[in-house]
Amino acid sequence: MGMVSLGCPKNLVDSERILTKLRSDGYAMSPDYAGADVVLVNTCGFLDSAKEESLEAIGEAIAENGRVIVTGCMGKEAEVIRARFPNVLAVTGAHQYEEVVGAVHDAAPMPPSPFVNLVPDAGLKLTPRHYSYLKISEGCNHRCSFCIIPALRGDLVSRRPDAILREAEKLVEAGTKELLVISQDTSAYGVDIRKEPRAWKGGEVVPHMTDLARELGKIAPWVRLHYVYPYPHVDQVIPLMAEGLILPYLDIPFQHASPSVLRSMKRPANEAKVLERLRKWREIAPDLTIRSTFVVGFPGETEEDFEYLLQWLDEAQLDRVGAFRFEPVEGAAANDLPGAVPEEVKEERYARIMEKTAAISAAKLQAKVGRTLEVIIDEVGEEGGATGRSQADAPEIDGEVFLRDAGHLSQGDIVMVEIEDADEHDLYGVPLAG
Ligand code: SF4
C-alpha cells in the first residue's frame, strides 16, 4: 500500500500509528503509486491553503493509482471530497484508526500469512480465555468534579458498532463465554455517531447501547454491562435481560444519593426518580443484580447528606456495593470545593456504609440458598472443588460461588448449581448432574 501524509506533526504521528498497525497486519509499503494496491491520503484541513493542498494530493493519487482512501482532518468534510472525487473508496476522520484500517482491509484484503497468523484473531489477551473485556468507546462527555478522565482522554469517541461486534465474534470463536462491556459511560455509547448505522448480518446495526447489547447477546452466552448511568433509555435494556439475551446485571456507579452532593459532584443522569425506576426494573427482570460504587466524605457532605445516602441504600437494596473515602485527584475541580470532611469523619462514614451494605448483601445472598443458579467456572481445584461466579458476579469485583464435587468441570463451563449456603459475599453449592 502507499501513503501520502500531509499537515502537522500530530498528523504524522497518526500516519505512523496507522502504518504500524497495517504493517503488523502484514501489509508492505510501496514507495510509489504504481506499486500500491491502495493509497491512503492523510489530509490536513487546518487552513484553506492546507485543504486545497489536501484536495490536490487526493486528485494526484486518484490520477496515478485510482484506489484511494482519505483520512485525517479533512475527513470531517467528506461531502466536499466526494463531490470533487466521487471515486474515493472511503473517507474517515482524524484519529479513526479502526475505520481507516478497516477500509484498507476492505479495499485490499490480505492473504493469510503464517507470521501474521501467529497473533490470534481475537488479539492477545490478559484475561483468562473464558471472559473478555470489550471496550466500546473512549473518553467521556461529562465533567464530574472529582474526575480528570475527560481532561486525560478527551470527549466520548464511540467505536463503530460493526467493529465491536466483529471483535465480539472473534473473542467468542477463541473461547470467550462472557463479554464484559466497558467504557467510561456505556449508556452514552453512540451519541457521537448516532446517524451512522452500519451494515451487519444482512441488516443494519444502530450505534446505540440497546441495539449493541441485543446484537452482543446473540453472539456470546453471557454479556455483562458495566458503567451504565441511569438515563431514561436504560429502561430499554431491561427487557433484553428478561428475555435472557444479556445478563440481568447493571453496574451503575451512583457515587451518592443526596441531591446536593450529586449536584456538586456534577454527576450525569442525576434524577430524583431512580428508586422508582429500580423498582420497575426489578418487576420486569426480578433477578436483576445492581452493583454500584459510592464516595463518602466528598467536600460539603453533611451528616444529613450521609444519612440520606444510608436511607436511600435501605430502599434501593443494591446487591453489590463498593465504597471509597473521598481523595483529591490532582487537577480535579472538586479539590477547590469548600467543606472538606475531616479524615476521622470519612473513616467513620466509611465504616457505617460498609456495615449497611454488607448486611444488605448478606441478606440477598441468604435468599439464594436453596435456589438453582447458572454458574460459570473460573477455576477447577485439585480436591474436587471449583470456583465460579453466578450471573450476579462480575470477575474480580463481586463475589464467587465455591463448588464441591465439581472436579469433572472445566474452566469456562456454564453449569447449573444448587446453592447450599451463603455468607456476606459468596455462595456455596454443588453442580447438578448432567
Ligand atoms: S466519573 Fe464522570 S467525568 Fe469521569 S469518566 Fe465517569 S462520567 Fe466521565
Side-chain angles (χ1 to χ4, degrees):
M1 64 157 296
M3 173 130 205
V4 180
S5 184
L6 303 162
C8 64
K10 272 183 278 174
N11 223 30
L12 189 71
V13 171
D14 284 352
S15 293
E16 288 173 348
R17 201 165 153 188
I18 295 165
L19 286 184
T20 306
K21 172 71 179 115
L22 289 171
R23 194 73 193 88
S24 74
D25 287 350
Y27 288 86
M29 298 311 301
S30 165
D32 49 39
Y33 288 121
D37 290 330
V38 61
V39 177
L40 197 57
V41 183
N42 192 3
T43 57
C44 172
F46 187 54
L47 297 170
D48 284 350
S49 57
K51 284 185 193 169
E52 199 40 51
E53 192 192 348
S54 295
L55 290 168
E56 277 169 23
I58 298 167
E60 183 180 310
I62 291 208
E64 297 287 331
N65 180 285
R67 294 173 56 75
V68 174
I69 293 169
V70 179
T71 185
C73 300
M74 263 210 90
K76 270 195 260 160
E77 298 182 45
E79 334 71 62
V80 176
I81 297 169
R82 288 199 183 279
R84 191 138 144 199
F85 307 106
N87 299 339
V88 288
L89 299 175
V91 181
T92 71
H95 311 305
Q96 293 179 324
Y97 304 106
E98 209 163 43
E99 304 240 358
V100 185
V101 170
V104 173
H105 277 273
D106 289 346
M110 272 299 299
S113 139
F115 299 110
V116 174
N117 291 355
L118 283 176
V119 179
D121 270 356
L124 299 172
K125 281 166 30 68
L126 295 170
T127 48
R129 206 159 62 111
H130 63 293
Y131 67 81
S132 303
Y133 293 96
L134 185 63
K135 194 173 203 178
I136 60 170
S137 61
E138 190 55 86
C140 181
N141 287 346
H142 304 297
R143 297 293 180 262
C144 300
S145 56
F146 53 80
C147 176
I148 56 165
I149 283 176
L152 293 178
R153 306 208 173 163
D155 282 341
L156 177 99
V157 178
S158 302
R159 293 178 61 195
R160 43 191 281 183
D162 52 341
I164 298 171
L165 295 170
R166 259 197 303 275
E167 182 182 342
E169 279 190 335
K170 284 186 179 168
L171 288 166
V172 170
E173 277 162 24
T176 289
K177 301 280 181 59
E178 178 179 4
L179 289 170
L180 302 135
V181 176
I182 55 164
S183 65
Q184 304 301 335
D185 177 1
T186 294
S187 27
Y189 169 70
V191 291
D192 52 332
I193 52 169
R194 185 65 84 235
K195 296 204 179 78
E196 297 172 35
R198 300 285 178 171
W200 181 249
K201 304 272 176 213
E204 268 191 349
V205 56
V206 177
H208 185 278
M209 176 178 69
T210 314
D211 298 72
L212 187 69
R214 184 181 298 111
E215 292 305 323
L216 287 172
K218 294 179 195 162
I219 294 171
W222 280 19
V223 175
R224 196 183 289 285
L225 302 182
H226 286 281
Y227 315 122
V228 174
Y229 292 104
Y231 297 104
H233 70 264
V234 174
D235 295 356
Q236 298 165 12
V237 296
I238 309 297
L240 303 182
M241 299 177 180
E243 281 171 47
L245 261 180
I246 62 172
L247 293 183
Y249 180 100
L250 277 178
D251 175 1
I252 308 179
F254 287 113
Q255 308 301 17
H256 215 283
S258 150
S260 68
V261 178
L262 286 171
R263 252 194 319 276
S264 65
M265 285 179 165
K266 297 207 168 83
R267 293 295 288 165
N270 160 23
E271 50 156 295
K273 299 227 167 84
V274 168
L275 286 174
E276 175 63 15
R277 296 198 31 233
L278 297 186
R279 196 181 55 69
K280 286 206 183 119
W281 291 350
R282 286 179 173 133
E283 266 170 30
I284 299 166
D287 276 334
L288 177 64
T289 295
I290 300 177
R291 120 164 300 272
S292 190
T293 47
F294 292 88
V295 174
V296 298
F298 190 75
E301 182 193 58
T302 61
E303 180 59 24
E304 291 76 58
D305 289 322
F306 181 68
E307 275 171 18
Y308 185 102
L309 169 58
L310 292 185
Q311 215 173 358
W312 187 92
L313 285 167
D314 263 337
E315 290 185 52
Q317 291 287 306
L318 305 184
D319 301 75
R320 304 283 188 187
V321 169
F324 300 90
R325 287 150 277 208
F326 173 75
E327 270 177 46
V329 174
E330 204 183 320
N335 305 353
D336 302 328
L337 291 173
V341 176
E343 287 307 314
E344 62 278 11
V345 177
K346 279 187 206 169
E347 282 305 325
E348 185 248 353
R349 288 180 186 166
Y350 176 76
R352 283 161 73 196
I353 192 171
M354 290 313 282
E355 192 186 341
K356 160 86 53 199
T357 53
I360 295 173
S361 164
K364 291 214 143 200
L365 292 178
Q366 197 58 44
K368 295 183 180 179
V369 174
R371 287 187 60 186
T372 300
L373 301 177
E374 213 175 61
V375 168
I376 190 164
I377 303 301
D378 285 327
E379 217 177 300
V380 180
E382 283 177 2
E383 284 158 28
T387 312
R389 286 173 291 108
S390 73
Q391 297 190 341
D393 306 305
E396 310 292 337
I397 50 175
D398 292 328
E400 290 179 309
V401 185
F402 296 102
L403 305 182
R404 64 177 176 88
D405 300 338
H408 58 290
L409 298 175
S410 307
Q411 188 186 57
D413 284 352
I414 296 178
V415 291
M416 298 310 290
V417 170
E418 189 187 324
I419 302 302
E420 299 176 315
D421 202 358
D423 57 27
E424 265 181 15
H425 299 290
D426 302 312
L427 295 170
Y428 301 81
V430 62
L432 295 184

